[in-house]
Amino acid sequence: MAESKTNTQQDNSLGILFNDLFRTVRINKAFHIWMAFLSIALAICFYAYYIQLRDGLGVAGIRDYVSWGIYISNFVFFVATSLVGMLVGGVVGLSGQKWVTPLTRIAEIIAVAFAAVAGLVIVSDMGRPERLANVFIHGRVQSPILWDVTVVTTYFLISLLLLYITLIPDLAYGKGNLEGRPKLLQRLYEILSLGWKGTVAEVKILKRATIIMLVLIIPVALSIHTVTSWLFAVTLRPGWDSSIFGPYFVSGAFVSGLSCLIIAMFFFRKNYKLEDYITDFHFDKVAKLLVLVSLVYLYFNINEFLVPGYKMKKFDAVHLQQLFAGEHALLFWGVQLLGLIIPIILLLIKPFRKPLPMLVIGIFVLAGSWLKRYIIVVPTQEHPFLPMQHVPNNFMVYSPTLIEILISIAPIIMVLMIISTLAKLFPIIPVWETAVHKGLIVDETEIENEHN
Amino acid sequence: MRFKILSTLLVAIFASNLFAQTATIPADAKARTAPFVFSTESKEKGDKIYQANCKSCHGDIGKANYAKLVPIPKDPASPEYQKNSDGDMFYILSNGKGVLMPTFVNTLTEEQRWDVISYIRSFNKDYTQPPVKVAGEAAKTETAKMVLGYDLNNKKLWAMVTDSISGTKKPLSDVTIKLFVRRTFGNLPITQAVTSNLGVAYFDLPNDIPGDSIGNILLIARTIGSSNELTCSLTEKLGVVTKPKLLLDQRAWWSINKMAPIWLILLYLSGITGIGATVIYILLQLRKIKKINQITTET
């Protein structure tokens, strides 16, 4: 098809494409206001953290029994959401689904932002954060904590590298399309693009590097969330003592990651006026993907609750009673229905697979994903095997304090700041790949492959 | 129905038997009194022994916070407990009672047992100590002595009891001596022997007692049946050399980092190296792209 077009037509449409996709690379007033707002909010949260550093973890609601509160729920949520980079780029991308191209960078940026902040979330749960280095100095290779630190760091670095590799051609094209932008930004593009010219040799290397990274990111991403689940599953406590915790967490991670992607898609499409690139078709596809992963997650949920619920072993029974009909029942059923079952049913109906309804559903699913982590982390700790004796009431029942909530909001603000900054500095849709898919730039390696 | 009544009756009889084992204290034991006058010092010593050995069941004296067991371990300060004679208490403390109260004859010396009674009596304002009586045949005075030794030539362990009551040393015969070996959780009774006319008793020691890493065991000899109990101890290489196998000596999941399973260390390191090598390879590829471009720019 591309060959039938005349050169001028091609140049013209390429120009439009460049204009559309590089238009968003600018630091405008709205961005300044947005970042100022986030900074002020972050400063308030940091003040809350300062109080925690000064007075100790007692300012949070966590006590001896429930020692993992919303901080650790937050951590699990962050690790989970970052898995979307692997799902979209790795699993869907490697299987040759071309439609996913415009979404890969958004997914990678989400992955980088959430993975970068996940480590910080753990630190917020530490009373003496300066002792973090002890994990490395005195860490035991047998401890899932050490594995977790290792894989989360690795995943962040790999995600960052993958984001960069796929950016290289775009940075090169960007050099000529950034008139009027800050000189510093243009210089940054110059350096980072490695002088990319788009020759066959370069494209070959880049493609190979990308594929290697996409293959590598799959096991690493699987292991980060599997290991995170093992932090719970290697203990004997009811509600955590489960052999399917790994896949249960990973499938849940895809759900929260995709819902985050849907929200991001909606905002970028609307604010960056990318309706021509992120179309209803993409929303429809992502909706179907969300239904698929949600069904898998639902399947694991049924296994996770029905099987112990059928047996009702002594201690499991106390825990499950709390979830099904007790103190946490409203939250539990709310999350299962509003965050999983109803979204699945709605997304099976075509009119709901449009951007706006999907935004609403996405927000519900994402909020459900966060609360689901709370349900996994907290209720188990309220029922230790040994009876709780001679302790004040606030040791028995956990409720987060305002300071704790503010400290937990901080990483969310940081993620928004990272995503906003990256989305302003670099094109949010892969320019080169889109141009190749549209036939506006000829990928000579593809032609070579076809001849072979 | 009839069976039910019968079984209830049986249980009742059995239970009453179980709880009513106080009546078996012999008269002479009942009449026994402490060999010393209870003092603040003996009370304080008794306090320490009580905290270490008795509190877990009997609770803090006077607070009635004893363990919830059946039969109930009574509070030693309670009137029904205090109405026991000193001899009763000493007998129960020495020989145990019922299914729960253990014997302390081997774990506490006589003096220590009397110290505990001294402590328990300090909670009873109406208590007056009966006159101190010295009973028994052997070692009846403060001047009696016991020595424990090992005869290398005959390979025999011996104990000798003498009394220097009138300035001259006289051997004491017919003294029963019990021999113990110190173990982690108390003294293990091994054997007993009676002194001869020469005041000497020989002990036959089993040759398979586990000792420490060089075979040492701590032997404790104690006279019995005398009012002034004599004790002495001796450390000898008479045990089997035992090198304790520490749990941390093996490679295991739960061991220290240095003792991690080798396969786990290899798996962890190979994972890290594999990923690290891939990342380095990718970075080298990026450098290659940069080099290609430098050449094309120059030409």
Side-chain angles (χ1 to χ4, degrees):
Chain A
M1 279 294 283
E3 282 162 25
S4 65
K5 284 182 184 171
T6 64
N7 274 345
T8 39
Q9 266 179 324
Q10 258 192 33
D11 287 348
N12 215 0
S13 7
L14 195 60
I16 293 168
L17 180 88
F18 283 162
N19 184 47
D20 282 351
L21 298 185
F22 284 110
R23 189 181 57 213
T24 61
V25 182
R26 63 196 171 123
I27 313 288
N28 56 2
K29 206 175 165 191
F31 179 72
H32 282 298
I33 294 169
W34 171 236
M35 288 303 268
F37 165 72
L38 289 180
S39 303
I40 292 166
L42 190 62
I44 296 168
C45 297
F46 274 158
Y47 179 69
Y49 185 62
Y50 162 73
I51 293 173
Q52 180 177 301
L53 274 186
R54 191 190 60 193
D55 299 344
L57 275 178
V59 298
I62 44 180
R63 293 287 180 270
D64 289 28
Y65 293 105
V66 182
S67 56
W68 286 357
I70 56 173
Y71 293 152
I72 299 298
S73 315
N74 222 17
F75 167 72
V76 179
F77 171 77
F78 272 66
V79 175
T81 310
S82 75
L83 250 67
V84 71
M86 170 274 244
L87 176 69
V88 171
V91 178
V92 182
L94 277 180
S95 64
Q97 300 289 327
K98 291 242 165 39
W99 61 266
V100 86
T101 307
L103 310 180
T104 48
R105 186 151 302 147
I106 301 177
E108 279 155 19
I109 287 176
I110 291 174
V112 167
F114 276 89
V117 178
L120 289 177
V121 183
I122 281 278
V123 177
S124 69
D125 195 50
M126 296 176 68
R128 299 286 298 268
E130 79 277 9
R131 293 184 180 171
L132 183 66
N134 286 353
V135 174
F136 302 97
I137 300 168
H138 304 294
R140 292 164 62 246
V141 73
Q142 299 100 311
S143 165
I145 300 265
L146 186 75
W147 311 341
D148 208 45
V149 171
T150 312
V151 285
V152 170
T153 320
T154 312
Y155 182 69
F156 167 64
L157 291 175
I158 293 177
S159 296
L160 197 64
L161 193 56
L162 180 66
L163 178 67
Y164 171 58
I165 290 178
T166 51
L167 255 174
I168 292 173
D170 294 7
L171 294 167
Y173 290 118
K175 277 185 288 183
N177 291 284
L178 286 178
E179 296 91 5
R181 309 321 202 279
K183 279 273 172 301
L184 194 69
L185 186 67
Q186 296 192 23
R187 182 91 190 102
L188 183 76
Y189 268 54
E190 177 101 38
I191 296 166
L192 289 180
S193 68
L194 305 173
W196 173 272
K197 295 272 189 316
T199 59
V200 179
E202 285 172 287
V203 173
K204 266 189 182 168
I205 293 172
L206 189 81
K207 277 191 162 180
R208 191 168 60 216
T210 310
I211 286 177
I212 290 172
M213 291 304 285
L214 287 177
V215 171
L216 182 67
I217 209 166
I218 294 174
V220 174
L222 276 178
S223 56
I224 69 164
H225 216 40
T226 307
V227 170
T228 306
S229 83
W230 287 350
L231 294 179
F232 299 90
V234 293
T235 64
L236 279 168
R237 309 190 63 162
W240 293 350
D241 180 11
S242 162
S243 56
I244 61 159
F245 244 40
Y248 174 55
F249 268 47
V250 170
S251 56
F254 290 156
V255 174
S256 71
L258 273 184
S259 60
C260 186
L261 178 71
I262 289 169
I263 296 168
M265 276 165 69
F266 184 88
F267 279 102
F268 285 131
R269 175 179 132 116
K270 200 160 166 48
N271 292 351
Y272 289 9
K273 309 210 165 29
L274 295 171
E275 284 87 350
D276 291 343
Y277 300 90
I278 303 173
T279 61
D280 284 7
F281 168 76
H282 293 103
F283 275 90
D284 184 72
K285 282 281 191 186
V286 173
K288 285 171 179 167
L289 191 58
L290 181 60
V291 169
L292 174 69
V293 293
S294 297
L295 282 173
V296 175
Y297 190 43
L298 181 65
Y299 168 73
F300 277 113
N301 267 287
I302 292 168
N303 275 277
E304 184 57 30
F305 292 106
L306 190 132
V307 176
Y310 195 97
K311 294 177 285 191
M312 281 290 181
K313 285 189 277 183
K314 191 179 168 195
F315 286 98
D316 280 353
V318 179
H319 172 69
L320 292 172
Q321 194 68 31
Q322 284 287 315
L323 293 186
F324 294 163
E327 207 183 314
H328 300 288
L330 191 67
L331 197 59
F332 178 80
W333 293 112
V335 164
Q336 297 289 19
L337 287 171
L338 296 174
L340 196 58
I341 295 169
I342 294 175
I344 293 174
I345 296 168
L346 290 182
L347 288 177
L348 287 173
I349 306 161
K350 200 164 187 201
F352 285 99
R353 296 200 294 269
K354 294 269 178 269
L356 190 63
M358 277 180 66
L359 173 72
V360 178
I361 292 171
I363 289 170
F364 268 90
V365 175
L366 193 68
S369 298
W370 194 95
L371 293 168
K372 185 67 196 289
R373 304 311 183 270
Y374 180 88
I375 285 176
I376 292 171
V377 173
V378 172
T380 284
Q381 297 172 82
E382 289 179 350
H383 313 291
F385 284 116
L386 294 175
M388 295 194 253
Q389 288 174 327
H390 313 303
V391 289
N393 191 49
N394 67 358
F395 276 61
M396 306 221 198
V397 181
Y398 168 74
S399 63
T401 62
L402 178 66
I403 289 174
E404 199 176 359
I405 292 167
L406 285 175
I407 294 173
S408 297
I409 290 173
I412 297 168
I413 298 172
M414 286 186 214
V415 159
L416 286 176
M417 288 173 106
I418 295 174
I419 295 178
S420 305
T421 310
L422 287 175
K424 275 292 169 192
L425 292 182
F426 305 109
I428 196 73
I429 287 179
V431 180
W432 177 69
E433 276 185 86
T434 308
V436 169
H437 286 178
K438 282 184 186 281
L440 299 173
I441 291 173
V442 180
D443 180 359
E444 284 167 44
T445 56
E446 295 270 310
I447 297 167
E448 245 179 49
N449 281 344
E450 276 165 30
H451 281 294
N452 292 340
Chain B
M1 191 63 193
R2 192 179 291 168
F3 174 73
K4 213 171 179 181
I5 293 168
L6 194 71
S7 58
T8 317
L9 209 69
L10 272 174
V11 167
I13 292 165
F14 177 69
S16 63
N17 239 348
L18 202 68
F19 302 146
Q21 288 180 2
T22 38
T24 50
I25 300 175
D28 58 334
K30 248 182 185 323
R32 194 161 174 187
T33 57
F36 56 84
V37 177
F38 295 158
S39 61
T40 323
E41 194 195 350
S42 69
K43 185 189 113 184
E44 275 167 10
K45 277 199 262 175
D47 186 1
K48 273 186 193 145
I49 299 163
Y50 181 88
Q51 303 308 331
N53 296 282
C54 321
K55 190 185 161 176
S56 58
C57 291
H58 288 282
D60 300 300
I61 298 188
K63 291 188 181 166
N65 57 356
Y66 41 77
K68 290 174 179 58
L69 299 168
V70 179
I72 297 163
K74 280 172 215 132
D75 184 341
S78 64
E80 53 176 338
Y81 194 99
Q82 290 284 348
K83 77 176 183 233
N84 284 311
S85 73
D86 287 0
D88 288 337
M89 283 192 193
F90 187 82
Y91 185 86
I92 295 168
L93 194 50
S94 303
N95 302 303
K97 181 186 158 190
V99 282
L100 288 180
M101 173 74 186
T103 149
F104 281 93
V105 71
N106 296 331
T107 29
L108 298 177
T109 64
E110 282 190 8
E111 193 184 325
Q112 285 176 317
R113 277 172 261 156
W114 284 117
D115 287 338
V116 172
I117 294 166
S118 160
Y119 173 63
I120 290 170
R121 287 301 193 196
S122 72
F123 288 85
N124 184 355
K125 281 191 193 113
D126 304 328
Y127 172 77
T128 41
Q129 194 182 355
V132 173
K133 268 192 289 184
V134 178
E137 290 306 308
K140 60 177 92 170
T141 62
E142 295 282 330
T143 47
K145 291 245 152 41
M146 177 163 64
V147 201
L148 189 62
Y150 183 67
D151 183 350
L152 269 176
N153 294 329
N154 299 317
K155 303 212 161 139
K156 276 269 182 195
L157 190 72
W158 55 264
M160 189 173 168
V161 187
T162 54
D163 199 348
S164 42
I165 188 156
S166 50
T168 47
K169 244 187 193 178
K170 257 174 40 188
L172 289 178
S173 58
D174 290 328
V175 181
T176 309
I177 302 167
K178 219 170 174 178
L179 188 75
F180 303 88
V181 172
R182 169 67 53 82
R183 303 282 81 175
T184 309
F185 297 107
N187 300 331
L188 176 73
I190 298 291
T191 180
Q192 62 181 44
V194 182
T195 52
S196 63
N197 293 337
L198 300 170
V200 180
Y202 289 99
F203 302 97
D204 287 321
L205 217 56
N207 53 12
D208 57 353
I209 301 173
D212 64 7
S213 55
I214 54 167
N216 271 341
I217 49 174
L218 178 67
L219 297 147
I220 298 153
R222 191 181 291 165
T223 58
I224 55 169
S226 56
S227 57
N228 263 356
E229 191 188 57
L230 299 173
T231 305
C232 69
S233 60
L234 172 76
T235 304
E236 271 296 330
K237 274 190 199 171
L238 294 173
V240 179
V241 174
T242 314
K243 292 227 161 60
K245 198 173 182 208
L246 296 176
L247 284 175
L248 290 182
D249 285 347
Q250 52 184 305
R251 293 194 172 270
W253 275 110
W254 33 260
S255 199
I256 52 171
N257 192 37
K258 265 190 210 158
M259 296 308 286
I262 287 178
W263 66 266
L264 183 68
I265 298 172
L266 288 178
L267 195 68
Y268 181 78
L269 290 180
S270 60
I272 296 208
T273 345
I275 291 168
T278 317
V279 169
I280 289 169
Y281 173 75
I282 298 291
L283 292 176
L284 288 175
Q285 294 298 306
L286 293 183
R287 208 175 71 150
K288 215 160 142 190
I289 291 180
K290 200 168 181 187
K291 273 200 174 152
I292 292 172
N293 289 318
Q294 273 168 353
I295 293 160
T296 47
T297 322
E298 278 159 22
T299 52

